[in-house]
């Protein structure tokens, strides 16, 4: 689907807080030193490529209404190779549990189970895998770690965290 929405960040700068920016050695969950919260980037014309190329799902997906704008929802949605990642503003760690977000996240988890995709909530470094039947609080994950799901058919019955180097490529 091609987005017909022509959205802009406007006053939203939450990605400048919750996302890591490798080129600036900026960790996740800390304001970028170049961000002017609510106003934008002080080095916009010279910002790193990873910033220039970034677009949260609210910017590009027609299915997410204005309520999902990160500055309102306190959630930044992105995709990963495995599914959807929902990054919470550390100042609002339970934002994903509020409505209408909780219902949408639950629906995505149901759809994800059918399509072998994950729905992950990230609060600081803490990661929660959301499935239709339960949540797997995986604790703090390091960048070199991955989630391994235990499946019975399509149903996730367990989840663990392992070093990426320990995952066998098939």
């Amino acid at each position: 689907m091609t987005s017909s929405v022509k959205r802009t960040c406007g006053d939203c700068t939450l990605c400048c807080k919750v996302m890591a920016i490798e080129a600036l050695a900026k960790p996740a969950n800390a304001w970028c030193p170049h961000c002017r919260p609510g106003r934008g980037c002080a080095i916009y014309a010279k910002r790193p490529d990873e910033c220039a190329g970034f677009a949260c799902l609210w910017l590009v997906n027609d299915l997410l209404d204005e309520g999902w704008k990160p500055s309102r929802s306190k959630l930044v949605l992105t995709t990963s190779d495995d599914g959807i990642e929902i990054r919470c503003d550390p100042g609002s760690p339970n934002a994903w549990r509020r409505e209408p977000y909780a219902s949408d996240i639950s629906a995505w988890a149901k759809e994800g189970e059918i399509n072998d995709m994950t729905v992950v909530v990230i609060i600081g470094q803490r990661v929660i895998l959301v499935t239709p039947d339960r949540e797997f609080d995986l604790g703090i994950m390091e960048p070199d770690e991955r989630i391994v799901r235990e499946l019975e058919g399509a149903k996730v019955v367990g989840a663990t965290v392992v070093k990426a180097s320990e995952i066998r490529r098939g």
Side-chain angles (χ1 to χ4, degrees):
M1 175 195 297
T2 303
S3 179
S4 61
V5 175
K6 300 290 187 235
R7 292 179 173 157
T8 61
C9 299
D11 65 349
C12 184
T13 54
L14 190 57
C15 64
C16 301
K17 181 179 185 182
V18 300
M19 304 297 293
I21 304 170
E22 195 171 314
L24 298 175
K26 187 205 91 61
N29 303 304
W31 282 109
C32 174
H34 303 290
C35 179
R36 304 300 172 253
R39 296 195 331 254
C41 180
I43 61 166
Y44 188 80
K46 295 180 181 179
R47 69 196 185 281
D49 289 343
E50 64 190 290
C51 296
F54 178 78
C56 72
L57 288 179
W58 177 80
L59 277 175
V60 300
N61 190 315
D62 290 357
L63 300 176
L64 297 174
D65 66 24
E66 288 297 311
W68 277 99
K69 184 175 183 179
S71 58
R72 289 188 188 109
S73 66
K74 306 301 182 200
L75 304 167
V76 174
L77 277 62
T78 59
T79 57
S80 69
D81 291 341
D82 300 324
I84 297 173
E85 294 180 346
I86 302 156
R87 286 177 175 75
C88 292
D89 180 340
S92 298
N94 291 313
W96 68 285
R97 294 192 181 280
R98 294 190 328 249
E99 291 299 340
Y101 316 116
S103 291
D104 286 346
I105 292 166
S106 178
W108 298 337
K110 288 176 185 151
E111 191 69 26
E113 187 171 80
I114 295 166
N115 296 307
D116 192 28
M117 306 221 11
T118 60
V119 176
V120 176
V121 174
I122 303 167
I123 307 163
Q125 291 180 293
R126 181 176 159 218
V127 176
I128 301 168
L129 175 66
V130 180
T131 71
D133 299 321
R134 65 182 278 204
E135 298 167 7
F136 294 88
D137 189 335
L138 302 171
I140 294 175
M141 284 184 62
E142 298 298 326
D144 66 336
E145 294 180 319
R146 302 293 177 266
I147 299 169
V148 175
R149 297 173 296 150
E150 180 185 340
L151 303 174
E152 285 182 5
K155 182 182 175 94
V156 178
V157 295
T160 56
V161 176
V162 300
K163 295 282 185 194
S165 60
E166 294 175 17
I167 298 174
R168 292 189 197 146
R169 301 289 174 198

